[in-house]
Amino acid sequence: VIQRGDAEAALAASAHVVSGTWATQRIEHLFMEPESALAQPLPDGRLRLCSQGQGVFDDRRQVAGFLGISEDQIFVEMVPNGGAFGGKEDMSVQAQTALLAQLTGRPVKLTLSREESIRLHPKRHPITMHYTVGCDAEGRLTAVQARMLGDSGAYASVGGKVLERAAGHACGPYRVPNVDVESDAAYTNNPPCGAMRGFGANQAHFAMEGCMDLLAAKVGLDGWEIRWRNALEVGDMCTTGQVLEKSVGIRKTLAAVKDSYFEARRAGRAVGIACGLKNSGIGNGVEEWGKARLVVEPNGTVSLYNGYTEMGQGLLTVLIQFAVEVTGLPASLFVPRIDSTFELGCGQTTGSRATLFGGRAVMEAAAQLKVDLDAGRTLADLVGRVYSGDVVIRDTTALGAPVAKIKTHTSFGYATQVVILDEQGRVARVIAAHDVGRAVNPALCAGQIEGAIHMGLGYALTEELACPDGMPATFKLRELGVLRARDMPAIEVILVEEPEPEGPLGAKGVGEIGLVPTAAAVAGALEAFDGVRRQVLPMRDSPAAKAMSVGRTRST
């Protein structure tokens, strides 16, 4: 529950009010590599566990509890995995693999088939959202009232947190003086739903951005202008009541797409626009850590240990870049490792926080190494030396906490996306301007956003895991509606830098926000094309969806 001001009174006094119901669907993660684990008994009596989970120290804790042994009896290693998107936060095959190795005394590897994978891990939440939003005669927002109900399935997973995050992002990146939001996660007789890229923000933005389009039509403004008039700035308050004190780049992202948006409109094209924000750091009162160790090895390399997970996003590359930036040593000397040689548990790699906090920890450790190098010592002189970086975040506040200063999250990323259709109503081009704080590795950063747009377009148009009577209708990848390469439009990524003081070298997370505005921008473009306002995902009846080579999803 989030309540600020008097939304009822503000809506009654508003010049324009819109309301409606938006609904999103259940989505399968479809990471490239299905779940896999390797467990190996060691000569010293310990068990070696190679996991591709999103938090290997959490895996160790839970496996030790399952086997009835102490955590120090398990040596855990993170094996960089072929994608996760939140779907590997929950335990999957680690415990049973370890049990088989314990019982047999032999190494055991367990890898799921695609069908087993789809059956096992939690999905993205379907959420039904009732929104009422008001504005004054000039289009400035006055109030948002929202009620959200999420289908969390038969087990909780992180359903409560997903609906908390949906509520906390209910107003989008806009200045809203009066807020009345309630969200609930419900147990149902459906497959469990949990973490997936965007974590409730995608769903909330689909509804809120739809309301922005409806208000723009009532006021007589275009989609860009109404968003510009309401965009958050430093000193404004976001949905949760947090006053934003730094690194608010939403206006910069709007400015970055302005010319392309109006040029396409002048050319008579159907254009949609949507904005978004997404937290970087779990926040909401959770204590968070960034932990790193640099160890100088006898062979002249430097082992770089950290507690977060590499799952294809390029984290280890970026952490090496931070170490290089501080020390001046060549990148080739740093060897990244994620295992339990040191106690570096940071929790799950979630909340777009690994660069934000892991990067700070690496820089802290690297600064200590730099002191010794600057004193004239060589790596050969420093063999065996361990340099520690430990960053702790304790300044965020839980929703509803009785505090004088609300700070629900360490940082936020911001984005504006424009979707342009061709003459047949197909998605021809997507322009994505994202405030990333600092683009530490521009190629990796743009790649994250491009991949997220692929996921966002599938979410908008073709993807669904239908579950009649509580059972998935299909377990076949080709029937789930994920877009093929040939279905993808041209994508232009614009990296906007509004440095984050609490991030390493000004960086903040970009892993999730890439698809937060996408579905709403597609819906706006489709309405401009055929006059139909679509409020249910996927928008399978649209010309954009029908043009895709996938999307005839089985529903029975």
Side-chain angles (χ1 to χ4, degrees):
V1 175
I2 301 172
Q3 293 181 326
R4 295 192 286 106
D6 189 336
E8 288 280 0
L11 288 169
S14 297
H16 303 284
V17 176
V18 298
S19 62
T21 300
W22 282 259
T24 65
Q25 78 279 39
R26 183 177 291 98
I27 289 287
E28 155 66 24
H29 296 74
L30 279 181
F31 29 72
M32 292 284 285
E33 181 188 19
E35 294 84 345
S36 186
L38 169 69
Q40 175 188 9
L42 297 175
D44 61 7
R46 293 184 302 159
L47 186 71
R48 177 189 180 214
L49 176 65
C50 295
S51 170
Q52 53 160 229
Q54 286 182 236
V56 292
F57 288 90
D58 282 6
D59 291 350
R60 182 184 66 171
R61 172 178 53 79
Q62 294 181 81
V63 170
F66 178 78
L67 298 179
I69 62 178
S70 63
E71 289 187 42
D72 60 12
Q73 289 298 105
I74 300 178
F75 180 77
V76 64
E77 292 182 57
M78 197 279 143
V79 180
N81 65 47
F85 310 120
K88 294 175 181 174
E89 284 190 23
D90 298 79
M91 290 276 285
S92 58
V93 298
Q94 296 92 327
Q96 52 270 52
T97 308
L99 175 62
L100 287 168
Q102 185 188 59
L103 291 174
T104 62
R106 300 287 299 276
V108 175
K109 178 182 173 184
L110 198 162
T111 301
L112 296 185
S113 68
R114 180 62 65 181
E115 176 176 339
E116 290 166 338
S117 175
I118 293 173
R119 282 179 177 271
L120 190 64
H121 63 257
K123 313 304 175 191
R124 185 188 295 285
H125 276 75
I127 303 181
T128 300
M129 299 160 286
H130 306 283
Y131 263 70
T132 302
V133 182
C135 70
D136 63 18
E138 286 74 43
R140 292 179 175 82
L141 294 172
T142 54
V144 168
Q145 187 177 72
R147 299 292 181 266
M148 306 179 179
L149 180 62
D151 178 351
S152 281
Y155 300 92
S157 185
V158 290
K161 292 298 180 184
V162 170
L163 270 294
E164 178 183 76
R165 200 71 74 249
H169 289 68
C171 298
Y174 304 118
R175 185 188 313 108
V176 182
N178 301 281
V179 177
D180 175 11
V181 177
E182 295 179 14
S183 67
D184 291 279
Y187 285 115
T188 69
N189 191 37
N190 284 318
C193 289
M196 188 172 178
R197 194 180 200 174
F199 207 85
N202 309 344
Q203 294 94 320
H205 279 72
F206 179 55
M208 182 62 196
E209 292 294 310
C211 291
M212 294 297 286
D213 287 341
L214 293 173
L215 285 173
K218 284 203 167 192
V219 179
L221 298 175
D222 59 70
W224 187 93
E225 180 60 34
I226 196 168
R227 288 167 171 82
W228 180 262
R229 292 187 185 188
N230 290 285
L232 290 166
E233 297 181 273
V234 170
D236 287 336
M237 189 179 288
C238 66
T239 305
T240 61
Q242 176 176 344
V243 175
L244 303 171
E245 298 177 341
K246 32 71 177 179
S247 189
V248 183
I250 183 63
R251 281 182 172 264
K252 282 188 176 181
T253 67
L254 275 163
V257 304
K258 182 179 181 180
D259 289 347
S260 296
Y261 173 80
F262 285 108
E263 179 182 326
R265 281 170 58 98
R266 285 193 297 269
R269 306 293 287 276
V271 185
I273 185 171
C275 297
L277 86 163
K278 178 68 176 70
N279 59 292
S280 190
I282 293 174
N284 289 118
V286 174
E287 181 177 283
E288 301 184 76
W289 288 87
K291 298 182 181 183
R293 300 291 183 269
L294 297 180
V295 182
V296 182
E297 305 290 358
N299 64 0
T301 64
V302 180
S303 292
L304 191 163
Y305 294 87
N306 105 99
Y308 287 113
T309 298
E310 173 60 63
M311 45 190 163
Q313 80 276 42
L315 173 67
L316 300 182
T317 299
V318 169
L319 294 183
I320 289 172
Q321 286 185 254
F322 287 128
V324 169
E325 186 76 17
V326 173
T327 64
L329 294 172
S332 59
L333 295 185
F334 291 95
V335 180
R337 304 182 189 278
I338 306 172
D339 62 37
S340 56
T341 300
F342 300 97
E343 291 299 320
L344 302 181
C346 302
Q348 299 284 338
T349 301
T350 185
S352 302
R353 65 183 181 142
T355 295
L356 184 70
F357 298 145
R360 283 177 55 182
V362 167
M363 291 187 69
E364 185 177 287
Q368 299 166 36
L369 172 57
K370 180 69 159 55
V371 170
D372 284 347
L373 294 173
D374 286 348
R377 306 181 72 180
T378 66
L379 289 179
D381 300 327
L382 301 172
V383 169
R385 186 70 61 89
V386 178
Y387 299 91
S388 301
D390 294 281
V391 175
V392 61
I393 308 298
R394 294 193 181 100
D395 65 345
T396 64
T397 59
L399 285 181
V403 294
K405 181 181 179 181
I406 295 171
K407 184 181 182 182
T408 43
H409 296 291
T410 297
S411 181
F412 292 92
Y414 299 88
T416 301
Q417 293 185 1
V418 171
V419 170
I420 302 171
L421 306 185
D422 66 14
E423 290 79 3
Q424 285 76 46
R426 297 173 298 197
V427 178
R429 185 180 176 204
V430 179
I431 305 163
H434 283 252
D435 166 25
V436 301
R438 175 85 180 275
V440 176
N441 188 309
L444 279 177
C445 194
Q448 277 283 323
I449 295 166
E450 290 175 8
I453 290 169
H454 170 273
M455 187 178 284
L457 291 173
Y459 185 49
L461 297 171
T462 57
E463 289 192 52
E464 184 174 17
L465 181 64
C467 293
D469 300 319
M471 174 59 70
T474 183
F475 297 102
K476 294 183 172 66
L477 188 153
R478 67 177 179 272
E479 294 178 350
L480 293 174
V482 64
L483 299 184
R484 296 185 171 101
R486 67 173 180 264
D487 296 315
M488 286 299 290
I491 298 175
E492 178 186 354
V493 174
I494 304 170
L495 300 180
V496 173
E497 295 184 315
E498 183 67 28
E500 169 54 65
E502 295 188 69
L505 302 178
K508 52 189 174 184
V510 74
E512 295 176 271
I513 193 173
L515 72 157
V516 167
T518 310
V522 173
L526 287 169
E527 184 180 27
F529 181 79
D530 61 14
V532 178
R533 167 53 54 175
R534 295 171 174 86
Q535 297 178 195
V536 177
L537 296 182
M539 297 177 282
R540 220 180 268 125
D541 68 324
S542 68
K546 291 175 181 178
M548 299 297 182
S549 67
V550 295
R552 268 63 68 184
T553 311
R554 283 179 55 183
S555 59
T556 59

